């Protein structure tokens, strides 16, 4: 339940460890420049009123990924069997963490007869970057309380398309989301998106929220494909241009938006 990492972005070693808060397992973080002198443990995540009463946060080992830190979070439930499922946690600065996607299960347990029915543990580091795929190795096991003489352990591999940890989804009705102001370097906007059943359009806004000329929703060439990398194009092949501090407005219809970036 410990994870030690030299974090190049933070410029220090980070140690994520298990502590107890109110008698329940929780996650704490320490930092060091030399592996000898450490900051005091600081609680970064613990179970709260939005978790089931028997939930405890057993383990997580964050890994820098693009503009975030992402961690598999092992959530321990003891009431029926000793079960541990994998959710996600994330950070924008590497020091303050939040639960991801309304605490949905990320790596689900198997059925009662499966080899990973009760207990999942992701390897450290969390994933192996294979280009268009992220490979997640994990240990799965079954509780002997199901009628076995001992815990049964196997090694599994889960394969995730790049960036597709979480999506913002639009239904049959038009859905719109606007980002906070972003300082972007580059002219071409790219999306990781699945819109084969619908479409996505994008508008670029200035810092005051006004649509930039030629970069409105009606100027955007609709995206209706499933791809890890779709360039966004406005009329006449326009890109974002020289504007540097902007907001992006995404219109989604029957579509899932996973990530965006600019180059």
């Amino acid at each position: 339940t410990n994870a030690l990492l030299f974090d190049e972005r933070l410029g220090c070693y980070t140690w994520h460890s298990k502590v107890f808060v109110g008698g329940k397992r929780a996650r704490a973080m320490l930092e060091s420049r030399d592996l000898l002198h450490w900051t005091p443990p600081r609680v970064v995540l613990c179970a709260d009123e939005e978790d089931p009463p028997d939930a405890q946060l057993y383990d997580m080992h964050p890994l820098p990924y693009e503009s975030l830190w992402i961690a598999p979070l092992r959530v321990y439930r003891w009431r029926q069997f000793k079960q541990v499922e994998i959710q996600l946690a994330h950070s924008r600065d590497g020091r303050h963490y939040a639960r991801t996607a309304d605490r949905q299960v990320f790596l689900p347990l198997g059925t009662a007869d499966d080899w990973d029915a009760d207990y999942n543990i992701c390897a450290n580091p969390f994933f192996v970057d294979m280009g268009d795929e992220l490979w997640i190795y994990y240990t799965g096991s079954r509780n002997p309380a199901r009628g076995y003489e001992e815990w049964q352990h196997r090694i599994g591999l889960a394969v995730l398309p790049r960036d597709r940890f979480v999506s913002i989804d639009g239904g049959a009705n038009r859905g719109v989301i606007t980002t906070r102001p972003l300082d972007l370097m580059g002219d071409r906007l790219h999306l990781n998106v699945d819109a084969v059943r619908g479409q996505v359009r994008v508008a670029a806004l200035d810092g005051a929220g006004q649509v930039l000329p030629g970069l409105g929703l009606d100027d955007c060439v609709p995206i209706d494909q499933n791809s890890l990398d779709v360039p966004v194009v406005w009329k006449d092949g326009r890109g974002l241009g020289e504007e540097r501090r902007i907001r992006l407005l995404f219109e989604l219809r029957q579509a899932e938006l996973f990530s965006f970036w600019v180059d």
Side-chain angles (χ1 to χ4, degrees), residues 11-249:
C12 65
Y13 294 94
T14 61
W15 178 11
H16 287 263
S17 186
K18 180 175 69 177
V19 294
F20 283 84
V21 175
K24 288 188 173 184
R25 294 166 178 83
R27 300 306 302 169
M29 178 180 179
L30 303 82
E31 299 181 35
S32 173
R33 298 288 177 180
D34 57 9
L35 289 178
L36 297 174
H37 305 89
W38 291 89
T39 61
R42 177 177 56 84
V43 174
V44 293
L45 280 180
C46 58
D48 58 27
E49 66 277 0
E50 295 186 34
D51 289 295
D54 64 335
Q56 304 185 37
L57 305 188
Y58 208 116
D59 180 28
M60 75 175 193
H61 38 272
L63 193 64
Y65 181 79
E66 302 297 347
S67 60
L68 297 168
W69 283 254
I70 300 179
L73 178 64
R74 292 168 59 200
V75 180
Y76 169 42
R77 302 284 304 279
W78 55 264
R79 184 153 290 174
Q80 182 177 2
F81 291 107
K82 182 179 181 180
Q83 291 187 309
V84 174
E85 65 185 19
I86 305 296
Q87 299 179 12
L88 288 179
H90 69 274
S91 174
R92 298 281 180 184
D93 63 5
R95 292 187 169 99
H96 301 86
Y97 283 83
R99 311 284 287 277
T100 306
D102 296 327
R103 311 184 189 203
Q104 296 179 48
V105 176
F106 174 71
L107 184 59
L109 296 171
T111 67
D113 295 327
D114 288 331
W115 56 275
D116 54 354
D118 294 300
Y119 210 84
N120 282 342
I121 307 172
C122 289
N124 190 5
F126 178 19
F127 53 80
V128 181
D129 189 337
M130 300 297 289
D132 285 346
E133 295 178 338
L134 303 177
W135 288 15
I136 301 169
Y137 288 93
Y138 69 102
T139 295
S141 54
R142 276 189 296 202
N143 196 317
R146 294 189 182 275
Y148 301 94
E149 294 182 357
E150 60 183 10
W151 280 93
Q152 298 184 346
H153 302 275
R154 302 289 187 273
I155 295 175
L157 172 62
V159 177
L160 183 73
R162 185 171 189 87
D163 289 357
R164 295 197 171 186
F165 293 96
V166 175
S167 63
I168 292 176
D169 301 346
N173 296 324
R174 174 178 179 267
V176 173
I177 183 167
T178 305
T179 70
R180 59 180 173 81
L182 303 170
D183 294 312
L184 300 177
M185 300 296 292
D187 177 60
R188 187 63 65 191
L189 175 65
H190 299 256
L191 306 185
N192 183 328
V193 66
D194 183 355
V196 291
R197 296 175 294 113
Q199 71 172 27
V200 175
R201 298 190 301 174
V202 187
L205 318 177
D206 62 21
Q210 300 300 309
V211 176
L212 293 170
L215 299 179
L217 290 178
D218 292 336
D219 302 305
C220 182
V221 177
I223 295 169
D224 58 1
Q225 57 186 291
N226 180 7
S227 175
L228 303 180
D229 184 355
V230 183
V232 178
V233 179
W234 287 271
K235 288 180 180 177
D236 301 321
R238 292 191 59 176
L240 292 173
E242 298 302 319
E243 192 76 25
R244 286 296 172 258
R245 188 165 182 80
I246 64 175
R247 294 174 183 261
L248 295 172
L249 184 151

